[in-house]
Amino acid sequence: MAERTSREETHSIRQDGEAPRAPSREALEAILDGLTEALFPRHYGQSDLDGENIDYFVGNTLSTALDSLSAQIHRGALFVGDELEPGFVHEEAIELTRAFAAQLPQVRGLLINDLRAAFVGDPAARNFPEILIGYPGMTAIIHHRLAHLLYQIGARLVARLMSEIAHTRTGIDIHPGARIGSGFFIDHGTGVVIGETAIIGNNVRVYQAVTLGARHFPTDDEWRGPPQGVQADAGGKQVHAAGRRAVEFQASRLGAFPG
């Protein structure tokens, strides 16, 4: 068959030998859901949790999610096929997962600041639970903070797949390599794109149809996103043109906002 010839010979893109399995999207979706439930157990987990059973619920949910995450990190490294890829050895994948888990309290602290920024930044927001479970921007930043942590420790394929799950769920596309400061709020959010090279400061608010990223990948320069305490409105497009430090911002404004 012509398709087989293309796949196996003419246009082959895989290494010799048996093709390893890619990380499972379904498993990664379950991992994201489990981690979110562990971070916010009364909102995403079970509303009837109390002081006696909440610790058990969090511990059990987190253990299940982390066990699965370790397996997916290992599968991701094997799928890439590079023995230097973090997690290629099963024991290394376990250590990466432990490093990831150790930083979850700090991630939750960042998310609480993001939640507060959304409450302050949106006049229509009535309470924290509404934002936490009903705002696509909040869902996107929860997923991003988790994916970014994985990206930092070297599990980049898994991180990239998690970011794509967030994109599918929310319409907001944030590369896991993007560095986003505390108190970040995406209002509405449809069409927001934040690229790998973006560096966003604290207390930044972004509305729909905003792109923060690079035209090209500069070798000796890096586009830094909005500084601290700024607002990027709908239709705005910030693009770093490599080598010129040029910034475009169209059909909108970029200005400080209070708080």
Side-chain angles (χ1 to χ4, degrees), residues 188-203:
H188 301 290
T190 302
V192 167
V193 178
I194 302 176
E196 180 183 18
T197 58
I199 303 174
I200 301 174
N202 297 329
N203 302 318

Side-chain angles (χ1 to χ4, degrees), residues 37-243:
E37 290 175 4
L39 290 170
F40 300 100
R42 288 194 176 97
H43 294 87
Y44 285 98
Q46 300 177 12
S47 59
D48 60 346
L49 293 172
D50 56 32
E52 294 184 359
N53 58 20
I54 190 170
D55 287 339
Y56 172 81
F57 173 83
V58 170
N60 184 63
T61 302
L62 193 57
S63 177
T64 300
L66 293 175
D67 284 347
S68 181
L69 178 61
S70 176
Q72 296 306 312
I73 290 175
H74 183 49
R75 278 177 62 166
L78 293 177
F79 186 74
V80 171
D82 183 354
E83 293 185 2
L84 299 179
E85 184 78 8
F88 192 87
V89 178
H90 180 66
E91 289 73 16
E92 187 179 21
I94 294 174
E95 290 302 316
L96 289 175
T97 305
R98 288 173 178 167
F100 171 84
Q103 297 185 59
L104 287 177
Q106 289 85 348
V107 169
R108 189 177 191 278
L110 285 171
L111 291 171
I112 293 300
N113 288 336
D114 299 330
L115 182 61
R116 289 171 175 159
F119 184 74
V120 171
D122 184 3
R126 293 177 174 82
N127 49 63
F128 286 160
E130 176 188 15
I131 297 168
L132 197 56
I133 68 172
Y135 278 40
M138 194 67 212
T139 300
I141 194 61
I142 290 172
H143 287 21
H144 172 72
R145 300 260 185 228
L146 295 170
H148 180 67
L149 181 52
L150 287 167
Y151 189 88
Q152 286 183 308
I153 65 175
R156 297 196 168 186
L157 178 57
V158 168
R160 192 68 186 89
L161 294 174
M162 283 188 171
S163 71
E164 186 53 33
I165 291 170
H167 184 199
T168 301
R169 289 178 170 181
T170 67
I172 298 168
D173 186 0
I174 310 177
H175 192 284
R179 286 177 272 178
I180 300 177
S182 179
F184 184 61
F185 173 39
I186 304 173
D187 197 0
H188 301 290
T190 302
V192 167
V193 178
I194 302 176
E196 180 183 18
T197 58
I199 303 174
I200 301 174
N202 297 329
N203 302 318
V204 170
R205 184 187 308 164
V206 173
Y207 289 84
Q208 68 273 12
V210 170
T211 297
L212 303 174
R215 287 186 188 276
H216 311 287
F217 291 97
T219 56
D220 59 350
D221 201 6
E222 188 175 48
W223 181 79
R224 294 180 180 271
Q228 297 186 18
V230 301
Q231 175 172 306
D233 288 343
K237 183 177 292 185
Q238 290 204 20
V239 184
H240 172 229

Side-chain angles (χ1 to χ4, degrees), residues 10-30:
T10 312
H11 308 118
S12 176
I13 58 173
R14 66 179 177 85
Q15 298 180 358
D16 294 334
E18 184 178 353
R21 291 187 301 167
S24 164
R25 182 185 177 95
E26 291 75 17
L28 294 177
E29 289 177 343

